Amino acid sequence: MLLTILGCSGSAPGPGAAASGYLIEAAGASIVVDLGNGTLAALQGHRDPFTLDALLLSHLHPDHCADVSALTVLRRYHPRPPYDTRARRLPVHAPQEAADRLGAAYAPSAAERAETDLSDVLDFQPLRPGPRRIGPFEVTVFPVTHPCEAYGFRIRYEDRVLAYTGDTGPCPELDELAAGADLLLAEATWPDHPNPTPDLHLSGKQAGELAKSAGAQRLLVTHVASWFDVDEVVGEAAEAFAGPTLRAVAGHRHEV
């Protein structure tokens, strides 16, 4: 598998930095996990969006799904798409309310109500805990702890595993999600502090502790909010985890 970081700024895009989005490729297939603010532009520098096999959305906060509106425009109105986009809708594996919520984000005005149905170009498939097959990828969906319906993904191709926490506070499901992963892509929004908001995000220290307890081979720290010092957060993770600990950087690619 090849992982490309489209964006990794936590909670909101930062200066010159897109929010969360990750391109995963193997055996000629490709999926995107999350499509936050600015990530569609980044995606087009690496892959033709019309060639995607699926989009997975971990949850419906804008920094993880805002560019679905732009993707809808591209698929609806491109003058020379490579195929009939209405005959080949893009599968979108997302939380239960995705069709309604993303439709409202696309066309919030009452006068445009007909435009809120995105099913002409997108095929919404609700997420549920457990395994599902997407092309050559075996994706196992785990519920995680966040203020809204939210999931992490364990993505396997052949004998390689990429684990992605999505946005989450500490929860028991993370240990199974990350167990023995070749690469753990873990959010770490902030430096560790004694009284964090519960059930919201991981700190750098907590991401490192998760990698250690789960026996992950490598840790890739992502989703650091732009108003925190990313080196401090990644440093905390590295102190807690003895294995290779890397900082997610937009445009960087990682073999899994």
Side-chain angles (χ1 to χ4, degrees):
M1 273 187 293
L2 179 64
L3 166 68
T4 302
I5 309 298
L6 304 176
C8 52
S9 183
S11 299
S20 293
Y22 310 95
L23 171 65
I24 302 170
E25 301 170 284
S30 63
I31 59 176
V32 164
V33 177
D34 288 339
L35 198 67
N37 321 69
T39 54
L40 181 62
L43 172 62
Q44 292 173 84
H46 298 280
R47 185 95 184 196
D48 180 349
F50 284 102
T51 68
L52 293 179
D53 292 283
L55 170 64
L56 282 72
L57 300 178
S58 64
H59 65 294
L60 299 179
H61 284 159
D63 61 315
H64 292 257
C65 68
D67 272 13
V68 172
S69 292
L71 179 64
T72 300
V73 171
L74 180 70
R75 293 182 68 88
R76 273 182 171 168
Y77 299 115
H78 193 295
R80 290 181 297 277
Y83 48 77
D84 183 349
T85 55
R86 287 161 176 77
R88 184 178 172 187
R89 299 179 300 156
L90 178 68
V92 179
H93 302 259
Q96 310 292 321
E97 297 180 345
D100 291 338
R101 292 268 303 277
L102 295 173
Y106 180 85
S109 142
E112 300 175 297
R113 190 160 296 155
E115 297 293 298
T116 65
D117 182 358
L118 310 185
S119 64
D120 58 324
V121 292
L122 304 178
D123 177 16
F124 289 99
Q125 302 183 17
L127 289 171
R128 296 180 181 84
R132 60 182 60 199
R133 193 81 185 179
I134 302 175
F137 304 101
E138 179 185 318
V139 179
T140 305
V141 179
F142 290 85
V144 294
T145 300
H146 204 52
C148 61
E149 182 185 357
Y151 299 95
F153 304 119
R154 183 179 175 89
I155 301 170
R156 178 184 293 275
Y157 170 69
E158 294 184 341
D159 63 346
R160 312 301 287 177
V161 172
L162 166 64
Y164 172 52
T165 63
D167 280 13
T168 180
C171 61
E173 290 81 3
L174 292 177
D175 288 324
E176 184 179 357
L177 180 151
D182 295 286
L183 181 63
L184 171 59
L185 179 61
E187 77 112 297
T189 301
W190 48 43
D192 202 58
H193 52 288
N195 297 300
T197 304
D199 300 335
L200 187 58
H201 291 297
L202 300 176
S203 67
K205 179 181 178 181
Q206 288 169 327
E209 290 173 341
L210 171 62
K212 179 180 178 180
S213 66
Q217 300 302 304
R218 289 181 292 157
L219 172 62
L220 183 57
V221 176
T222 191
H223 199 271
V224 179
S226 63
W227 47 89
F228 291 116
D229 182 345
V230 65
D231 291 330
E232 178 184 359
V233 175
V234 175
E236 285 184 0
E239 286 184 9
F241 176 56
T245 303
L246 307 171
R247 166 189 174 181
V249 176
H252 282 200
R253 296 183 172 190
H254 302 268
E255 292 281 354
V256 183

